[in-house]
Amino acid sequence: MATFDYQGDPQFRSWLERFVEDKITEAMKADREQRFRDSFALISVRRDDSLAEGIAKILGKSLVKWDLFIFGDGEKKPVIHENLSGKHVYVIATVGRGEDPDISFANTCRIVSTLRRTCKVSRINVVAPCLWYQAQDKTHARREPITVRDVADDITRRGMDHI
């Protein structure tokens, strides 16, 4: 039985180098993809938000778990159950069918404030497909407020970086 010396074969060495380089490139790409996926988080303002669940499914992520504690006097406090320190967080804020926009806006403000103050996130991006009070973007009569501006100012003061 004859043995073949692969060490001295230049074609084999060239193929082996390409093979190893391809495997290393593939591993680096997978590692880069994993680090990217770990660098951001998605949180929904509503529990049963099909848009947020669809976005999370497309991105291959799960939504951040959180609870809204309601005290005896009706006060509400969001509690986030994951460590989000240093991450970019996307808050998906939608208004439910038949839901009062004020409730959605108030919950969004609470979550943004919690993320900024207690979770120490790097960046907060609010995804609001239908901005609250968007129809009130200019005055039509004297002494009418531009409510959409008040909404933007309020949520920005709480720590939102981008909408």
Side-chain angles (χ1 to χ4, degrees):
M1 181 174 208
T3 60
F4 186 73
D5 180 22
Y6 290 108
Q7 299 292 334
D9 185 10
Q11 287 182 336
F12 177 73
R13 288 181 64 89
S14 175
W15 172 84
L16 186 60
E17 287 171 1
R18 282 194 313 272
F19 178 76
V20 170
E21 185 178 324
D22 288 346
K23 288 296 181 185
I24 290 172
T25 303
E26 193 176 295
M28 288 174 57
K29 183 178 178 185
D31 182 53
R32 191 169 37 249
E33 175 102 5
Q34 185 62 40
R35 278 188 283 137
F36 168 71
R37 296 240 180 258
D38 292 342
S39 70
F40 72 94
L42 301 169
I43 188 168
S44 177
V45 173
R46 293 179 38 240
R47 294 267 178 242
D48 57 346
D49 189 0
S50 59
L51 176 66
E53 290 168 1
I55 291 171
K57 185 177 178 182
I58 288 170
L59 293 174
K61 299 216 28 118
S62 60
L63 294 170
V64 171
K65 306 281 188 255
W66 65 279
D67 285 319
L68 188 67
F69 289 113
I70 303 173
F71 296 102
D73 62 352
E75 289 182 31
K76 296 173 183 158
K77 172 177 126 177
V79 176
I80 297 173
H81 299 293
E82 293 182 27
N83 181 8
L84 302 174
S85 181
K87 291 188 177 184
H88 291 261
V89 178
Y90 293 86
V91 179
I92 303 167
T94 58
V95 179
R97 196 175 301 257
E99 182 183 38
D100 184 7
D102 286 335
I103 292 172
S104 171
F105 177 64
N107 287 340
T108 301
C109 287
R110 285 185 195 105
I111 288 174
V112 167
S113 181
T114 301
L115 289 169
R116 179 61 68 203
R117 293 175 187 199
T118 62
C119 295
K120 306 295 184 211
V121 299
S122 172
R123 198 164 164 80
I124 300 172
N125 300 298
V126 175
V127 179
C130 183
L131 191 62
W132 307 273
Y133 302 101
Q134 66 187 359
Q136 299 179 40
D137 63 342
K138 56 187 155 200
T139 58
H140 299 284
R142 294 183 65 169
R143 294 179 294 282
E144 278 187 357
I146 301 177
T147 310
V148 75
R149 177 59 193 224
D150 296 336
V151 164
D153 289 344
D154 194 18
I155 201 165
T156 302
R157 268 193 309 275
R158 293 179 191 278
M160 175 200 67
D161 294 305
H162 194 265
I163 191 160

